[in-house]
Amino acid sequence: MNTATQTPRACWSVLANKAHDQVQKCRAELVQSRARLEQLTASHQRVRAMYEEYRQKERSIREADDGLMSQANQRQFMSQLLALAERVKSDLDKAQAVVDNEQKQLQTAELELRKMKALEEQDREAVRKSVERRDQRIMDSLGVAQFNLRRGESPT
């Protein structure tokens, strides 16, 4: 509290604004990370679906006895699809870890924002109480002075 002017300190509102900006930043990063996670999930599902499709084709090629070269090409492509699926799964796991971390950062930033707002409110309340006490002292001294004037005494 600024005792000279009886106004709340500006530092709490500045810190609250800074905490609010940090919350907004964390939320934006979290939205981007979740979008990336959704993209990777969709990619992983597409690759797995392609693998299943080619696995079915490989079975039909084996049953049709289309030749060893065709079967070898089919198996090679399927192994490449599996490798791609594993790479996408790895990226997906990393993206999930990023989302989890950013959620923790957001929770921390929101906690900090609540703290700063509470401190700002406490400071405002302290200023209000101080002003009330000062006003009450003034009113009390005016009342005593008025009482003394009515009795004919001089104020001291």
Side-chain angles (χ1 to χ4, degrees):
M1 173 177 50
N2 189 344
T3 55
T5 61
Q6 298 292 323
T7 59
R9 288 179 251 178
C11 66
W12 298 124
S13 61
V14 169
L15 290 172
N17 288 339
K18 186 175 179 181
H20 181 265
D21 292 344
Q22 183 64 27
V23 166
Q24 294 300 88
K25 178 184 171 196
C26 287
R27 284 184 180 151
E29 289 173 355
L30 185 58
V31 166
Q32 288 176 346
S33 293
R34 283 184 176 156
R36 172 85 171 125
L37 186 64
E38 288 175 14
Q39 288 173 343
L40 286 170
T41 301
S43 294
H44 188 255
Q45 289 172 348
R46 281 192 309 272
V47 170
R48 295 299 298 176
M50 283 176 61
Y51 176 79
E52 288 301 318
E53 180 183 328
Y54 277 91
R55 195 173 75 158
Q56 294 296 329
K57 284 183 182 180
E58 193 261 338
R59 282 185 190 159
S60 65
I61 288 173
R62 231 183 310 144
E63 291 171 1
D65 201 25
D66 278 348
L68 293 176
M69 187 62 139
S70 179
Q71 287 179 6
N73 287 343
Q74 193 74 16
R75 285 190 185 127
Q76 182 182 8
F77 184 70
M78 288 172 56
S79 70
Q80 289 173 347
L81 282 176
L82 278 178
L84 178 61
E86 287 302 313
R87 196 168 60 231
V88 171
K89 179 68 171 131
S90 173
D91 291 347
L92 189 60
D93 292 341
K94 289 175 187 174
Q96 183 62 52
V98 168
V99 166
D100 293 343
N101 184 41
E102 287 177 352
Q103 283 178 320
K104 287 177 187 174
Q105 287 178 350
L106 176 61
Q107 289 171 346
T108 302
E110 286 174 338
L111 178 64
E112 189 67 20
L113 176 60
R114 285 192 296 273
K115 284 182 192 176
M116 290 304 119
K117 287 188 178 227
L119 288 170
E120 183 180 21
E121 183 57 37
Q122 287 174 1
D123 192 45
R124 264 198 299 273
E125 185 64 21
V127 167
R128 185 189 64 75
K129 285 181 180 181
S130 174
V131 168
E132 283 179 4
R133 283 192 303 270
R134 186 195 69 209
D135 290 349
Q136 188 61 48
R137 281 193 304 271
I138 290 170
M139 292 299 289
D140 289 348
S141 68
L142 286 175
V144 168
Q146 186 178 17
F147 176 78
N148 288 337
L149 283 175
R150 283 187 189 159
R151 292 186 60 207
E153 298 175 9
S154 66
T156 48

